[in-house]
Amino acid sequence: MAEAERIIGTPDITGAEGSGETGPDGAAASPDAVTPDGQDTGAADADAGADAEAAVDRSPAARRRRIILLFCVAVVAYLLDLGSKMLVVAKLEHQEPIELLGDWLKLDAIRNAGAAFGIGEAFTIIFTIIAATVIVVIARLARKLYSLPWAVALGLLLGGALGNLTDRIFRAPGVFEGAVVDFIAPAHFAVFNLADSAIVCGGILIVLLSFKGLDPDGTVHKD
């Protein structure tokens, strides 16, 4: 029997003690500390975090590009809103509504002293202050803007706020009390304009980005 054990050999049970695995230096390794291929998970997570952080370009040039994009989106939204309102006032105001999709969608020019979609007509000055405050907040956020989707979202908000604020300042009945021109009239819904649409689209995009954990500075928060 002893001769048989000598020929076959005795199993090495030194490394079986504890976790059953040893590291490169001979120390026992914890099963939770390594992946199936032997890679340290803690180091892998640290490397992934470092890569994600490094992927965000926070150079001054990158921030300038995002700010330029923000203002380009804002200018396009503002000019589309302003041009459409000028056309509506010149051609459609005091005229019969134009049917685009029968009774489902019409162009009908109205003057709205309230907020978006005709809400709160008794608080025109308050909504004017809110619009001005939104513009100031966006300008402050632009100082740490490195995210492309946030640049688009803030650009839509800025363009829409400027569009309706222009009406508040320059249209009758007076400065900061002007009525906004609305003209898009879906069936069973409030009449609105392109500035309202830009504000709503920008707001929805911001909510989605927040749910994804993306900050304006490009940082991603993962649960």
Side-chain angles (χ1 to χ4, degrees), residues 78 81-82 85 111-114 124-133 135 160-181:
Y78 176 74
D81 177 69
L82 182 63
K85 288 174 178 175
R111 297 294 181 110
N112 171 25
T124 306
I125 295 181
I126 294 177
F127 292 129
T128 303
I129 296 173
I130 292 174
T133 302
I135 293 171
L162 285 172
N164 283 339
L165 185 61
T166 300
D167 284 358
R168 304 287 188 199
I169 295 175
F170 295 106
R171 296 193 186 277
V175 177
F176 300 118
E177 297 181 352
V180 174
V181 176

Side-chain angles (χ1 to χ4, degrees), residues 83-98:
S84 63
K85 288 174 178 175
M86 293 176 63
L87 185 61
V88 164
V89 170
K91 301 295 184 180
L92 189 57
E93 199 167 35
H94 309 303
Q95 304 293 328
E96 289 295 319
I98 298 176

Side-chain angles (χ1 to χ4, degrees), residues 64-126:
R64 283 195 297 269
R65 289 194 296 269
R66 299 299 182 261
I67 293 175
I68 290 172
L69 175 62
L70 185 157
F71 283 107
C72 285
V73 172
V75 167
V76 171
Y78 176 74
L79 291 179
L80 288 175
D81 177 69
L82 182 63
S84 63
K85 288 174 178 175
M86 293 176 63
L87 185 61
V88 164
V89 170
K91 301 295 184 180
L92 189 57
E93 199 167 35
H94 309 303
Q95 304 293 328
E96 289 295 319
I98 298 176
E99 295 184 355
L100 297 180
L101 296 174
D103 292 333
W104 290 99
L105 181 62
K106 298 179 181 180
L107 297 181
D108 187 11
I110 66 168
R111 297 294 181 110
N112 171 25
F117 309 113
I119 301 172
E121 295 186 1
F123 303 98
T124 306
I125 295 181
I126 294 177

Side-chain angles (χ1 to χ4, degrees), residues 134-208:
V134 168
I135 293 171
V136 172
V137 171
I138 293 173
R140 291 177 62 87
L141 283 175
R143 295 184 302 177
K144 57 176 183 179
L145 182 64
Y146 295 97
S147 168
L148 179 65
W150 269 95
V152 175
L154 293 177
L156 290 171
L157 281 181
L158 180 60
L162 285 172
N164 283 339
L165 185 61
T166 300
D167 284 358
R168 304 287 188 199
I169 295 175
F170 295 106
R171 296 193 186 277
V175 177
F176 300 118
E177 297 181 352
V180 174
V181 176
D182 290 335
F183 57 91
I184 304 173
H188 313 298
F189 197 72
V191 184
F192 60 97
N193 56 43
L194 295 184
D196 297 334
S197 301
I199 291 172
V200 171
C201 291
I204 292 174
L205 182 54
I206 287 176
V207 171
L208 293 176

